[in-house]
Amino acid sequence: MRQTLRTLQIAFTYIGTIVGAGFATGQEILQFFTQYGRWAALTIILSTGVFIWLGTKMMILARRIGAESYEDFNRHLFGKSTGAIISLFTLLILIGVNSIMLAGAGAIFEEHLGLHYQTGLLVTLVGSYLLLKRGITGIMQMNSVVVPLMLTLSLIIIFNTLEHPEAHRFMSLVTERSAIAAWLSPFLYTAFNLGMAQAVLVPMARHTKNDRTLAFGGIIGGLGIGFMLMAAHFAMSAHMPGILQFEIPMGSIAFRLGTLVQLVYLLLIFLEIFSTFVADIYGVTLQLAQRLPISHSVITALVMLTCYVFSQFGFSSLLGLFYPMFGALSLVWAVRLILTPMVPPGKAIAFTKSTTIPSPKSVPRSTRK
């Protein structure tokens, strides 16, 4: 029973880490899948398979090499120097993305709840800091609540769309986009999201006792991601091409289903922002803790303060420059993950830490003072 619960927690954390605010609004699915019409359903199936394969391999490999952070993992894939550079670039992207997500939380409070923009920022920051005190356990417990709500909303949207006269179009939607772009899109989408998700999936794997739990968690998580992708595509394709005009296409569908569904949808967008923000801050903290001789709590506070400062400004233009670069790097990262052989069980790799503080070996028991 305990192992089953842990498997589900891993699966939900995997889903919750991938399914961020961009997924919830529908923009990511629209841009990477739905706009490609009849190809979309097939490329979603392909993307689901890649999520199961590479997500599971990443977690099992991270556990077997004993990677404490995504920097350890990247050093294993690319070597010490190149891995450190890639991890630094990932760090900058994570801080940038989380600054924008924090701004999104403020916008939800301001535009939909009638509260001050800064209130949304502070609620998110304080809540995240308190949850992060529980470490990876807190992140997994949070996703065990948020992800079932996401799946429930997906089911509601599917059942509602079944009554739409254009519900059948998800398999036959006409598109002018090229087939090459359509079939490249799922690889770009999967590589980019896994490149970001390694911040929490790697340390989560490190704290899991066996490969079997990670394998089943990766399979269930990948299937869950695929289900939510298909549900959103199914709903949005029924409203094409008019839905292209909306900034939040899934919101335009949810808002037609009544006040209760609208409120649940807004709550879920905030919770998805919150869960992804917490997970990424946790991963960044672990990486920086290997380089800085200060406590985790201080590093967490400094990273959050940095995100808060950037959330006050127009950071989108900077990310507009970095995003394509990180997308290309993610493809290279994914190819490298595919080509890297799996380490046999029981043959962990000793990492050379960047910091001068030695990393303790396993401690058999702790003593209260």
Side-chain angles (χ1 to χ4, degrees), residues 7-8 10-12 14 56 59 212-222:
T7 299
L8 289 176
I10 289 170
F12 289 155
Y14 187 11
T56 302
M59 289 190 288
R212 182 183 176 87
T213 303
L214 289 173
F216 280 110
I219 292 169
I220 296 171

Side-chain angles (χ1 to χ4, degrees), residues 149-197:
L149 289 175
M150 296 180 195
L151 294 171
T152 301
L153 182 61
S154 294
L155 287 171
I156 292 173
I157 290 175
I158 286 175
F159 289 132
N160 179 264
T161 304
L162 286 172
E163 302 175 359
H164 196 281
E166 303 292 341
H168 64 281
R169 298 177 69 207
F170 79 105
M171 288 292 291
S172 59
L173 193 64
V174 177
T175 179
E176 296 180 357
R177 305 283 181 176
S178 73
I180 295 176
W183 288 98
L184 179 61
S185 190
F187 294 105
L188 286 169
Y189 179 79
T190 308
F192 180 83
N193 279 282
L194 284 176
M196 299 284 288

Side-chain angles (χ1 to χ4, degrees), residues 36-53:
Y36 294 108
R38 64 182 182 276
W39 303 111
L42 296 175
T43 56
I44 286 173
I45 294 172
L46 174 60
S47 183
T48 302
V50 177
F51 271 122
I52 293 172
W53 173 32

Side-chain angles (χ1 to χ4, degrees), residues 199-227:
V200 67
L201 296 184
V202 167
M204 179 179 70
R206 174 70 176 82
H207 291 87
T208 302
K209 292 183 178 179
N210 58 71
D211 293 347
R212 182 183 176 87
T213 303
L214 289 173
F216 280 110
I219 292 169
I220 296 171
L223 289 172
I225 294 167
F227 168 74

Side-chain angles (χ1 to χ4, degrees), residues 252-273:
S252 70
I253 295 173
F255 292 170
R256 299 173 188 175
L257 305 182
T259 304
L260 179 60
V261 176
Q262 179 179 349
L263 291 174
V264 171
Y265 178 76
L266 288 173
L267 175 63
L268 278 178
I269 286 185
F270 173 74
L271 289 177
E272 287 176 13
I273 289 174

Side-chain angles (χ1 to χ4, degrees), residues 3 8 10 33 39 166 197 222 226 230 265 280 294 314 318 327 330 346:
Q3 185 170 339
L8 289 176
I10 289 170
F33 299 103
W39 303 111
E166 303 292 341
M230 193 68 79
Y265 178 76
D280 288 346
I294 54 180
L318 189 57
S330 296

